[in-house]
Amino acid sequence: TAPGYLPGILGRHHLAPDGTPLPGAAAPQEPGRVRGAVRETVRNAARGAYRHGVQRVAPVIRRMGEL
């Protein structure tokens, strides 16, 4: 099924079906430092919240369910 949707995906990324950049396509840009820092901060916060929930909140909820 890839031949059906692959050209569309490549076209959205300004690539020809063989993977070469299309004429007039802008050079690929790397994500900015700020964007990467924000993403890392959000990931760390989410990881911390998940760990807190697993280690602290879930056992309390389980104990309350046993009452």
Side-chain angles (χ1 to χ4, degrees):
T1 59
Y5 63 83
L6 189 57
I9 293 172
L10 291 171
R12 275 181 265 159
H13 294 281
H14 308 289
L15 297 170
D18 63 352
T20 58
L22 291 173
Q29 297 192 4
E30 298 179 23
R33 286 185 182 173
V34 173
R35 185 174 170 190
V38 169
R39 179 178 290 162
E40 183 179 351
T41 302
V42 170
R43 279 183 82 183
N44 288 339
R47 182 180 295 128
Y50 177 80
R51 286 184 178 166
H52 180 76
V54 168
Q55 295 173 358
R56 303 281 194 285
V57 178
V60 171
I61 293 172
R62 281 191 216 106
R63 282 196 297 273
M64 290 173 65
E66 293 174 359
L67 296 177

